Amino acid sequence: MSIEIHVPTLGESVSDATIARWIKKAGDAVAADEPIVELETDKVTLEVPSPVAGKLGEIIAAEGETVEVGALLARVEEGAAGAKPAPKQQAPKQEVPKQEVPKSAPAKAADDTPAPVVAAASASAAIDNSDLSPAVRRLVDEHKLNPANIVATGVGGRLTKADVLAAINKPQAALAQSVMATANAPTPARATPRAVDAAREERVRMSKLRQVIAARLKAAQNSAAMLTTFNEVNMSSLMKLRADYKDAFEAAHEVRLGFMGVFVQAAIQALREFPAVNAEIDGTDIIYKNYYNIGVAVGTPQGLVVPVIKDAGEMSLADTERAISDFGLRARDGKIAPDDMAGGTFTISNGGVYGSMMSTPILNPPQSGILGMHKIEKRAVVIDDQIVICPMMYLALSYDHRIIDGREAVSFLARIKEMAEDPRRLLMGV
């Protein structure tokens, strides 16, 4: 029985996806719930599993193709045994007689065609095209290359895209160098890079996620009257609190106690006091949100994603830390779903984990505010007329000046500073 595989529902406001890669090939055996294809949307990358065990039959949508929700991707033959790949037939090795070259042999003419790139001894065996990444396989097919004749420099002897590009451009680069060596006139200026430079460049199409990130961030700069205000926080009390209770907290709640959870709770308290920071502009209206969905920016190899802690205002500190930990693990494994990133009202970004001392975060439309945390650094500060060394962190609040006045923005950030420097305020609600 043939089972059709369709593009699943992709989440709020997401209507199409791009086929990133087929994990299985036609004829491969598949198990129930085993991923067969990877889709890339403007928000996240997700895998589509097979609903039944059997054999992957006809593949309808090719890699790189854009498909809408509900579109047919492939068919699976339920219960059928997967075809085993036929053994690869290697071309018979030809013995090439060694030729002794006399020491007085003349130099090779400058206009001789360069020899093809030959693989190193460790990579001389034929490379199975099925083991190549989609980008590498596409280049090899387009230029009709033999992977066995290309030097592989990747981990485990794998062929990389840079290897293929170098093989494509090496003959042209050698020819260009030969022509320049014999010509007296200088090389005319060109708009394109030199061949030797082009061989060291790699052109990669932006992923759909990266395209949307670029468009949204630029749109935020173009549409919002964006401004950033700064403050600094003495992290001594918060670090002492964490040191005193981190073991007991982890034993009681089975999750580590971090700083992000405290700042999420502090931001919620401040948002209650300054509701404009939690609002958004819709045409000529202002929408005030009486709920707190806090986005936590997470960096992944695919790009920045902002999963949202829904109804964070109803959560305890332990619940908040669990949500943050879960998002971090799923983002690392590429398991963030589109619905996880929908509905945010305010965002927190921690550039300090990458060593950032100070930055001006860009708004996440249609939100009106974003809080930036930074690296904790020991600095000399004055406390009670005494110079002391304290762990300090800069905070930045970028906000839309169309809806948030400077007084509100500065007061909002000062409120977070108060609660971070004296975490007892969070417990007391003051």
Side-chain angles (χ1 to χ4, degrees):
M1 180 179 178
S2 181
I3 305 296
E4 294 185 342
I5 309 296
H6 295 267
V7 178
T9 301
L10 300 171
E12 181 183 0
S13 74
V14 181
S15 59
D16 58 47
T18 301
I19 307 295
R21 68 184 179 100
W22 281 96
I23 302 171
K24 295 289 186 177
K25 301 185 296 295
D28 285 354
V30 295
D33 298 324
E34 182 180 9
I36 60 173
V37 62
E38 186 178 90
L39 302 181
E40 185 180 71
T41 75
D42 57 4
K43 292 185 176 180
V44 73
T45 299
L46 69 158
E47 296 174 342
V48 179
S50 172
V52 296
K55 179 182 73 174
L56 181 60
E58 182 184 8
I59 292 178
I60 307 299
E63 288 183 1
E65 186 176 336
T66 299
V67 290
E68 296 184 351
V69 172
L72 180 62
L73 294 172
R75 295 183 176 91
V76 174
E77 303 299 329
E78 185 177 8
K84 295 183 178 179
K88 298 290 179 181
Q89 295 183 355
Q90 297 183 356
K93 296 183 179 179
Q94 297 181 355
E95 294 293 335
V96 180
K98 295 183 178 179
Q99 297 180 356
E100 294 184 0
V101 180
K103 295 182 180 178
S104 59
K108 194 173 183 179
D111 58 350
D112 284 353
T113 303
V117 179
V118 181
S122 61
S124 60
I127 299 176
D128 187 353
N129 271 22
S130 63
D131 293 334
L132 304 178
S133 69
V136 171
R137 186 165 61 247
R138 185 161 51 249
L139 278 175
V140 168
D141 293 340
E142 286 177 358
H143 295 273
K144 297 180 174 58
L145 300 176
N146 182 358
N149 291 336
I150 304 174
V151 177
T153 62
V155 178
R158 293 184 64 85
L159 201 61
T160 67
K161 189 172 182 179
D163 297 334
V164 180
L165 289 171
I168 293 170
N169 289 289
K170 188 169 183 178
Q172 289 84 346
L175 182 60
Q177 290 176 341
S178 176
V179 170
M180 286 190 294
T182 57
N184 296 324
T187 304
R190 295 177 297 168
T192 56
R194 297 181 305 153
V196 290
D197 292 335
R200 294 176 290 178
E201 296 176 352
E202 181 178 5
R203 181 181 292 270
V204 180
R205 182 176 177 82
M206 290 176 68
S207 67
K208 201 163 189 179
L209 174 61
R210 176 56 59 187
Q211 292 179 45
V212 171
I213 290 172
R216 285 174 63 87
L217 294 180
K218 187 58 183 172
Q221 287 185 318
N222 292 341
S223 61
M226 195 160 58
L227 190 64
T228 304
T229 185
F230 300 92
N231 212 321
E232 62 179 354
V233 176
N234 184 343
M235 297 289 288
S236 299
S237 296
L238 195 51
M239 293 177 71
K240 185 177 187 306
L241 176 74
R242 184 187 185 191
D244 289 344
Y245 295 103
K246 65 177 182 179
D247 293 337
F249 185 90
E250 187 170 356
H253 302 290
E254 299 182 346
V255 66
R256 294 181 62 185
L257 176 62
F259 295 136
M260 180 62 81
V262 175
F263 277 93
V264 168
Q265 293 292 321
I268 292 169
Q269 181 62 35
L271 290 171
R272 289 192 174 102
E273 299 175 24
F274 301 95
V277 186
N278 199 50
E280 70 176 67
I281 294 177
D282 183 19
T284 57
D285 295 332
I286 298 176
I287 302 175
Y288 290 96
K289 315 239 179 117
N290 298 317
Y291 55 93
Y292 308 95
N293 293 345
I294 308 300
V296 179
V298 179
T300 72
Q302 292 75 32
L304 183 73
V305 295
V306 187
V308 177
I309 305 174
K310 304 293 197 309
D311 292 319
E314 309 300 321
M315 291 184 176
S316 66
L317 177 59
D319 293 333
T320 304
E321 290 289 2
R322 287 193 197 95
I324 294 169
S325 176
D326 176 60
F327 282 146
L329 292 174
R330 287 198 283 146
R332 182 193 63 190
D333 298 334
K335 302 297 184 182
I336 296 291
D339 286 343
D340 292 330
M341 297 185 289
T345 62
F346 184 78
T347 296
I348 302 178
S349 175
N350 185 7
V353 296
Y354 304 111
S356 172
M357 286 294 296
M358 184 178 289
S359 66
T360 55
I362 299 178
L363 293 174
N364 185 17
Q367 298 171 24
S368 298
I370 178 171
L371 177 69
M373 299 166 57
H374 298 91
K375 181 182 179 181
I376 300 172
E377 190 88 336
K378 288 185 177 181
R379 295 200 301 273
V381 296
V382 178
I383 299 178
D384 296 330
D385 294 331
Q386 299 292 323
I387 298 177
V388 295
I389 303 298
C390 296
M392 305 296 293
M393 180 175 70
Y394 289 116
L395 291 179
L397 175 70
S398 291
Y399 61 98
D400 190 343
H401 212 344
R402 296 177 301 168
I403 184 175
I404 303 169
D405 294 332
R407 177 190 62 83
E408 292 174 301
V410 173
S411 300
F412 175 89
L413 199 56
R415 191 75 178 91
I416 292 180
K417 169 185 169 70
E418 289 177 354
M419 288 181 280
E421 291 186 338
D422 186 0
R424 295 173 298 177
R425 288 180 175 271
L426 286 172
L427 178 64
M428 304 300 296
V430 296

